[in-house]
Structure formats: C-alpha cells, structure tokens
C-alpha cells in the first residue's frame, strides 16, 4: 500500500516558513480537484459545496453542531399541506450586485432548477420541487411533486437562492464566471477551474452563518499534494485539506502547523454493474461474483492503514447518522477463500479480467485493486477525472468503479441511497423493488414508514451486493498557526468560522 513521504525539498523550506498574508488579511487556500463550474447547481463536487456555502445562501440553515434548523433567507416556514410549504422571507437582504432579495428571486430560482430540461447536475437535490409561487413580496410557497419530508433538510443545504434578473440574463455559464449571491463572501475573480478570489461581503445580513472575519480568501487549484506541501512550508498557502493521513501525521509531529482531523458524511464504496449495462454477460450480473468482491476486500485494513483518524468500516449504502440509515444489514467479512469459492461457483475458477475505474484517492483505489487481484479478479485500472468518469457511468456504465459520495452534507438517507437506486442514469442495479421502497420512504410523512422502507431497500442492496460499501471518510486539515479554525463533521470548509490569531 502506498505511503506518502514529505520530500526533502519541502523539509528544507520548513525552517524558513513565513506566513506573511496575515498582515494583509488574505487567507490562501488550496483545492485539489478542479471545479467544473462555480454555479452551485452545475457541479457536484465537494469544492463546489464549499464555494456554495460561502457565496450563496439557502432559505434555511442547519447548525452543523446542533443540527437545529434556523431561518436564513427565510425567517419562518410552515406546511400548508403535504405538498405546500409557505415561507416568510427576510427583508432588507441585498445580492452582491445590488439587486434586492425578495419573493421574485425565490420563485425564479426554484422554477428554473426544478425544470429537468435546465440540466441541474444533481437532479435529486431539486427534482422534489414542482414549482414556486409568490404570495406577496416577502412570502412564497414551494409546491412539491409529492410529499417529501426531507424538504427542510434540502432547503438548508444544496438549494441556493439566485438573483432572478441577473440569472435570467447570464444563465449558468455567466454565473460560473461571475457568481452573484447573498452569502458572506462575494467572488471578485474567477479563473475557471484554477483560481478563485473571495472578499468579505460588507453588506451581509444577520445570518446564522455568522459574519466573516477574514477579509480575502484566495483559492488555487493545486492537484499535487507535494506541491501543496511546499507552498504551505514557504508561506504561500495558509490552509490545505483532504491531506493524506501519513502526511498529516508527519506534519503534526513537526509542530509547525495546526493539524485537525474530523469525520465526514462521505463514504467510499464500489459500484458493480449488476444490471448488465456494460454487457449482459459481464461477470457482475451474477450475485455470487458481487459477493465475492465484497469478501475479497479487507476494509478494516484499509481504515487502519490508509484512512486512519475518525474513519470507520461501513456496511450500508448510506452514512450511519443519516435518517433511515439502518445498520442491521448483512456484512461481508474479509475471507479470501470464500471469495475464490464464490467465483468458482459462478463459473470463474481462474478468475477474470475487468476494467476498474476511480477518480480520486489513487492509493485507496490501488489497494482495493490489489485485494481484487489476490482472488483472481485481474483489474485493468483506469484513473479518470471526476467529470469524465461521471459522464461515462451515466452514458454506458462501468463494470466496477471506486466511488465516493458526501450527500451534500444532507443528513437524510434520501440524499444518497435514493440518489443512486431509483433507476436513474447512475443506478447500476436497476432493481424496481428497491426503487419502489425508496419512493415510499422518500414521500411518506410518517417517520416510521420512512424508516421501514429505507430498511427494506438497504437490506436488499446489501444482500445482493449491488454496492460494496467500505468506509467513511475523515478529513485532515492542516493550517498555519496564525489561523484559528475548528472543522465540522459535514466536510464543509466554512470561511466564516476562520479568523486570525
């Protein structure tokens, strides 16, 4: 398994590290993954979520510590009936470009993103909404397609409010180049995919997010972790995150930086082509092969050797804290001989060769690949960009791929299991019974009915090994000792929570 080393050139810089931008009130941050579009509805990456929470606001806010829902752009809300949510809006809010915020902006935003043909990247975040209507200047109603009890959770997360006049003029491409929101930070510069500069919005309203302290946040995309390290040491970066555990441990031992580890809602899993999208005769259409894969991987070893920190072994197709995420499902112990026996029983006594895809954490993916190779599944490993792999999976599927999902930090099973098992373009199982259970769970207003149907779906997903869930992620944050920051378990970098010491 791969180990990360701090290069000698980086170590040589450590004695001269100087963080000069504290005096200039500029926080320098690195992103590892290139963001395909800053418009929060047209990307599905964690980096996009970070920018979304900084630049835009939702109607509702969920406190990441207490999980309490609070008013943000809305001050109050009530259910008129199972399909109608009425919200009173905050008065006196202004977008970064000077447009006043009111009901027209909510109606335009909701009606735009709810229209499937407009192409919002993650449809699950918005397709529960049918439309919005204006009651008066500061009152709106959101109409649902069907009862959706997780609506409040989604309105506190990925559903951001956009300025109607500006968005009607520039659309997603324009919003991606010159973003405009009501959030605590406004965007002053975008070099697509490479460089983003945010400045504190002096006109920010009295939001539960809190008022920003740091004046400027300068974000650059630096894919190579060793380059990030070198810049951290020489002072041109103040904060990096998603740092591999081996590196984080070494940095903590040096005592020159603050190293923080926090759990996240993100899980890592293998998705297998049970539905035969890559060919009806592909091996993964056989449940015995899928179960063999599950037995072939030592998940405990992955967690202890690679992820470390607050990560844990996962057996369900969701994160344990999410509403409805039943943990009482079949779990596959690491058993090489059982995996080989299942392969032989399925007609592959000598194994077989398959393409194996991943888009992140090459060291994790290579370790998983080695476990598969050890039982006779010869992997042709292919590392793609996230957007390229997503498009491939949507178009024609993949035999097996290592995926992760952070649920947009939505603490509800509908944000992950329903995203991938309701017959959509990323559903590699295409199990109608599972989809029916999830439909019921997603729309039931009785919490017990929701739990019961999520449980049925999760049990069958595990029994049929449609996914091989492996582990939850943790995130290592490394930052200058000039920076004060306490990460939260939802894997959102909150610039409003950062300040200089």
């Amino acid at each position: 398994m791969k180990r990360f080393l701090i290069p000698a050139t980086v170590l040589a810089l450590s004695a001269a590290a100087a963080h000069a931008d504290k005096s200039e009130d500029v926080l320098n941050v690195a992103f590892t993954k290139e963001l395909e579009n800053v418009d929060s509805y047209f990307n599905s990456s964690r980096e996009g979520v970070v920018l979304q929470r900084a630049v835009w606001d939702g109607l509702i806010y969920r406190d990441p510590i207490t999980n309490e829902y609070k008013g943000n752009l809305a001050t109050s809300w009530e259910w008129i009936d199972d399909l109608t949510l009425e919200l009173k809006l905050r008065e006196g809010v202004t977008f970064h470009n000077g447009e006043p915020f009111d009901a027209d902006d909510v109606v335009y935003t909701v009606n735009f993103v709810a229209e499937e043909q407009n192409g919002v990247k993650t449809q699950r975040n918005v397709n529960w909404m049918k439309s919005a209507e204006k009651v008066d200047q500061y009152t709106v109603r959101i109409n649902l397609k069907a009862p959706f009890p997780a609506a409040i959770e989604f309105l506190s997360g990925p559903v951001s409010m956009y300025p109607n006049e500006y968005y009607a003029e520039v659309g997603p491409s324009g919003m991606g180049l010159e973003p405009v929101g009501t959030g605590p930070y406004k965007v002053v510069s975008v070099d697509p995919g490479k460089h983003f500069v945010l400045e504190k919005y002096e006109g920010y309203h009295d939001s539960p997010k809190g008022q920003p302290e740091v004046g400027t946040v300068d974000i650059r995309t630096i894919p190579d972790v060793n380059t990030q390290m070198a810049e951290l040491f020489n002072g041109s970066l103040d904060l990096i995150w998603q740092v591999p555990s081996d590196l984080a441990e070494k940095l903590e031992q040096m005592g020159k930086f603050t190293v923080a580890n926090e759990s996240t809602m993100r899980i890592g899993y293998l998705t297998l082509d049970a539905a035969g999208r890559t060919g009806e005769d592909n091996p993964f259409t056989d449940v015995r092969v899928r179960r063999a894969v599950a037995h072939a991987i030592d998940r405990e070893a992955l967690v202890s050797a690679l992820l470390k920190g607050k990560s844990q072994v996962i057996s369900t197709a969701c994160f344990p804290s999410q509403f409805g995420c039943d943990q009482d499902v079949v779990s596959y112990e690491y058993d090489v001989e059982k995996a080989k026996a299942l392969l032989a029983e399925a007609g592959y006594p000598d194994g077989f060769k398959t393409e194996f895809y991943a888009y992140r954490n090459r060291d994790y993916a290579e370790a998983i690949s080695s476990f598969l190779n050890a039982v006779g599944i010869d992997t042709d490993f292919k590392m793609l960009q996230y957007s390229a792999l997503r498009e491939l999976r949507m178009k024609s599927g993949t035999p097996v791929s290592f995926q992760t999902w952070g649920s947009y930090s939505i603490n509800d099973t509908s944000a992950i299991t329903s995203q991938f098992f309701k017959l959509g373009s990323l559903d590699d199982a295409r199990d109608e019974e599972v989809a029916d259970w999830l439909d019921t769970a997603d729309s039931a207003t009785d919490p017990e009915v929701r739990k019961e149907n999520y449980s049925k779906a999760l049990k069958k997903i595990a029994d049929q090994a449609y996914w091989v869930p492996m582990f939850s992620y943790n995130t290592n944050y490394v930052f200058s000792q000039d920076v004060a920051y306490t990460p939260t378990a939802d894997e959102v970098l909150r610039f409003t929570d950062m300040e200089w010491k």
Side-chain angles (χ1 to χ4, degrees):
M1 295 181 183
K2 187 175 179 180
R3 291 290 184 271
F4 287 90
L5 300 175
I6 299 177
T9 53
V10 172
L11 291 172
L13 291 168
S14 63
H19 302 278
D21 282 351
K22 174 182 177 181
S23 61
E24 299 175 11
D25 199 18
V26 178
L27 181 76
N28 294 287
V29 179
F31 279 177
T32 301
K33 189 165 61 180
E34 184 173 314
L35 187 62
E36 53 194 300
N37 188 337
V38 179
D39 186 321
S40 66
Y41 290 109
F42 291 87
N43 71 73
S44 57
S45 70
R46 179 57 39 173
E47 290 79 359
V49 174
V50 169
L51 285 180
Q52 178 230 356
R53 304 299 170 90
V55 177
W56 291 280
D57 285 312
L59 295 169
I60 300 169
Y61 176 79
R62 176 168 58 81
D63 187 299
I65 306 301
T66 67
N67 288 324
E68 177 187 1
Y69 294 113
K70 302 177 180 179
N72 193 359
L73 291 178
T75 56
S76 64
W77 54 92
E78 65 172 330
W79 288 101
I80 304 301
D81 54 46
D82 287 349
L83 299 177
T84 311
L85 180 65
E86 183 171 287
L87 303 101
K88 298 293 184 181
L89 305 180
R90 188 182 298 273
E91 299 183 26
V93 176
T94 305
F95 285 97
H96 301 153
N97 66 350
E99 283 188 42
F101 166 76
D102 60 19
D104 291 331
D105 303 296
V106 178
V107 170
Y108 184 88
T109 301
V110 170
N111 288 342
F112 179 86
V113 301
E115 183 62 53
E116 185 176 359
Q117 67 185 24
N118 287 327
V120 169
K121 182 68 73 171
T122 303
Q123 281 292 311
R124 182 67 193 158
N125 289 342
V126 297
N127 66 6
W128 52 274
M129 296 183 288
K130 179 181 179 181
S131 64
E133 57 184 299
K134 178 179 178 179
V135 177
D136 59 42
Q137 187 175 5
Y138 293 105
T139 307
V140 295
R141 288 186 175 182
I142 296 178
N143 303 307
L144 281 60
K145 293 178 180 177
F148 187 60
I152 303 302
E153 175 70 18
F154 278 75
L155 289 174
S156 72
V159 182
S160 302
M161 293 299 113
Y162 282 9
N164 65 318
E165 295 175 12
Y166 180 70
Y167 205 48
E169 177 185 349
V170 304
S173 59
M175 185 66 89
L177 294 172
E178 296 185 31
V180 173
T182 62
Y185 282 91
K186 61 181 181 180
V187 180
V188 296
S189 174
V190 172
D191 182 1
K194 299 178 182 178
H195 191 194
F196 318 98
V197 180
L198 316 181
E199 285 186 359
K200 176 168 61 175
Y201 179 39
E202 298 293 350
Y204 192 48
H205 64 275
D206 184 21
S207 165
K209 289 183 179 180
Q211 295 296 318
E213 295 289 336
V214 175
T216 301
V217 180
D218 191 300
I219 304 167
R220 286 178 292 133
T221 301
I222 305 174
D224 180 63
V225 66
N226 288 324
T227 303
Q228 291 185 17
M229 293 299 309
E231 295 211 24
L232 186 70
F233 277 112
N234 70 26
S236 56
L237 281 177
D238 299 297
L239 185 150
I240 61 178
W241 61 313
Q242 300 173 329
V243 178
S245 57
D246 287 1
L247 269 180
E249 289 175 353
K250 295 183 188 323
L251 289 168
E252 189 167 29
Q253 292 167 4
M254 295 176 68
K256 295 180 179 294
F257 304 96
T258 301
V259 179
N261 177 269
E262 186 51 82
S263 63
T264 78
M265 203 176 288
R266 180 174 300 276
I267 70 168
Y269 57 93
L270 295 184
T271 180
L272 308 173
D273 184 18
R277 300 178 66 201
T278 59
E280 293 183 2
D281 59 346
N282 91 77
F284 300 106
T285 58
D286 191 317
V287 68
R288 294 167 295 187
V289 172
R290 300 196 299 273
R291 289 171 177 161
V293 170
H295 282 299
I297 299 167
D298 189 344
R299 298 175 297 162
E300 294 282 0
L302 290 172
V303 169
S304 62
L306 292 179
L307 286 102
K308 303 182 182 180
K310 296 184 179 181
S311 289
Q312 57 184 302
V313 170
I314 295 291
S315 296
T316 50
C318 49
F319 183 74
S321 76
Q322 291 176 307
F323 178 90
C325 187
D326 188 358
Q327 301 299 293
D328 185 20
V329 303
V330 63
S331 182
Y332 298 87
E333 74 279 6
Y334 175 54
D335 190 327
V336 171
E337 294 309 313
K338 183 176 286 188
K340 290 180 176 179
L342 283 166
L343 289 175
E345 184 182 330
Y348 302 99
D350 299 319
F352 58 88
K353 185 171 183 177
T354 184
E355 293 177 330
F356 172 51
Y357 291 86
Y359 74 92
R360 64 177 287 170
N361 301 116
R362 177 182 285 272
D363 53 330
Y364 300 0
E366 289 176 343
I368 293 165
S369 178
S370 69
F371 283 127
L372 296 179
N373 293 341
V375 300
I377 301 175
D378 183 11
T379 54
D380 178 11
F381 180 60
K382 298 178 184 294
M383 193 83 177
L384 300 183
Q385 292 290 331
Y386 173 73
S387 57
L389 180 52
R390 180 185 173 92
E391 294 305 316
L392 175 63
R393 291 188 60 227
M394 291 175 69
K395 182 179 179 180
S396 58
T398 55
V400 56
S401 65
F402 170 52
Q403 299 288 321
T404 78
W405 192 249
S407 297
Y408 283 85
S409 300
I410 294 168
N411 202 32
D412 193 276
T413 293
S414 63
I416 178 168
T417 316
S418 299
Q419 168 73 18
F420 296 103
F421 287 96
K422 289 180 66 171
L423 312 181
S425 59
L426 292 170
D427 184 351
D428 291 322
R430 305 295 170 97
D431 187 317
E432 293 186 3
E433 187 174 41
V434 168
D436 286 342
W437 284 327
L438 292 172
D439 277 335
T440 300
D442 288 347
S443 59
T445 55
D446 183 339
E448 295 307 313
V449 173
R450 297 191 74 209
K451 290 179 183 178
E452 177 187 355
N453 282 276
Y454 282 136
S455 178
K456 289 178 181 178
L458 291 166
K459 287 179 185 296
K460 185 171 185 181
I461 290 167
D463 176 70
Q464 294 296 305
Y466 289 141
W467 272 11
V468 181
M470 289 181 291
F471 43 72
S472 67
Y473 273 74
N474 67 80
T475 296
N476 290 304
Y477 305 78
V478 182
F479 41 95
S480 157
Q481 292 182 341
D482 288 334
V483 177
Y485 178 55
T486 302
T488 53
D490 58 4
E491 200 186 3
V492 177
L493 275 177
R494 287 184 168 82
F495 301 127
T496 50
D497 291 347
M498 300 178 188
E499 59 185 11
W500 301 110
K501 290 182 180 178

